[in-house]
């Protein structure tokens, strides 16, 4: 099978025949198309590329995430005991209004819902500045900068947060980790992009080729 037959096979309109080549063959095809057309073929591989795909390229997906996040952030909350009876707690009421010095609780919920839907994971750092260890702030961590270190006994040994060249390690009890259940990973959740990775890759690449056009003919788009 020559290179053109391989390209035609992998870019077929039949869903079952799309991207059936193994990884090495696909990589060669992508590189060949890039050289031929001068158009970069996007490869979504990590959290940053997931975010780039939705926040700037696929408006419909962003709008869907935005709608869900708005609904979550507009939900009303109150403090109750184990029997569901409302309780008074000044510190927790303060946290539910202003969890940290930069955000309201509504903004924190919106960001959390957006992270869970797009990336499958969201993290809150429980800041305890008081000597008694009581909670003073809830600070969101951005999933693309978080690395979870597994532990054989405790499941999670520590959280590593790297941003602007600074690395901070957190104990598991310092982090509230929200995640979508992932059948393939007991540690990390799965988001919309990862669950539909092939469809997103296909859409982005065909959209890019269609938008810019090709200078040379006989190349499927």
């Amino acid at each position: 099978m020559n290179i053109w037959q391989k390209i035609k096979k992998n870019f077929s309109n039949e869903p079952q025949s799309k991207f059936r080549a193994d990884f090495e063959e696909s990589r060669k095809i992508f590189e060949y198309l890039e050289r031929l057309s001068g158009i970069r073929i996007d490869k979504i591989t990590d959290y940053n590329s997931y975010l780039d795909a939705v926040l700037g390229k696929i408006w419909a997906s962003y709008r869907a995430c935005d709608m869900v996040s708005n609904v979550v952030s507009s939900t009303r909350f109150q403090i109750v005991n184990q029997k569901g009876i409302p309780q008074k707690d000044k510190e927790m009421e303060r946290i539910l209004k202003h969890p940290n010095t930069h955000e309201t609780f509504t903004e924190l919920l919106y960001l959390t819902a957006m992270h869970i839907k797009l990336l499958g994971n969201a993290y809150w750092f429980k800041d305890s500045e008081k000597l008694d260890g009581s909670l003073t702030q809830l600070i969101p961590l951005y999933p693309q900068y978080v690395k979870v270190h597994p532990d054989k006994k405790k499941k999670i040994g520590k959280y590593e947060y790297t941003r602007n060249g600074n690395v901070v390690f957190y104990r598991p009890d310092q982090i509230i980790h929200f995640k979508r259940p992932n059948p393939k990973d007991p540690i990390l959740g799965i988001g919309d992009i990862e669950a539909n990775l092939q469809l997103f890759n296909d859409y982005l690449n065909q959209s890019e080729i269609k938008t810019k056009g090709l200078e040379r003919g006989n190349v499927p788009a």
Side-chain angles (χ1 to χ4, degrees), residues 3 35 66 98 107 121 125 127 135 161 172 178:
I3 187 66
R35 291 196 302 270
D66 176 63
H98 298 285
E107 292 172 324
N121 300 274
F125 166 52
D127 191 11
L135 180 65
Y161 193 59
F178 303 92

Side-chain angles (χ1 to χ4, degrees), residues 47 50-56 58-73 103 105-124 140-144 178-180 190-194:
Y47 280 176
Y50 295 174
L51 293 170
D52 289 341
V54 173
L55 305 179
I58 306 179
W59 179 85
S61 292
Y62 166 75
R63 183 61 181 135
C65 293
D66 176 63
M67 292 174 66
V68 171
S69 300
N70 273 307
V71 171
V72 172
S73 64
E103 295 158 313
F105 197 67
T106 297
E107 292 172 324
L108 177 60
L109 287 179
Y110 179 93
L111 182 64
T112 302
M114 183 69 78
H115 283 163
I116 293 174
K117 188 158 176 60
L118 285 179
L119 308 178
N121 300 274
Y123 306 90
W124 291 356
L141 303 182
Y142 286 75
Q144 63 267 41
F178 303 92
K179 65 178 181 178
R180 272 180 169 174
I190 187 168
D192 287 5
I193 312 301
E194 186 176 356

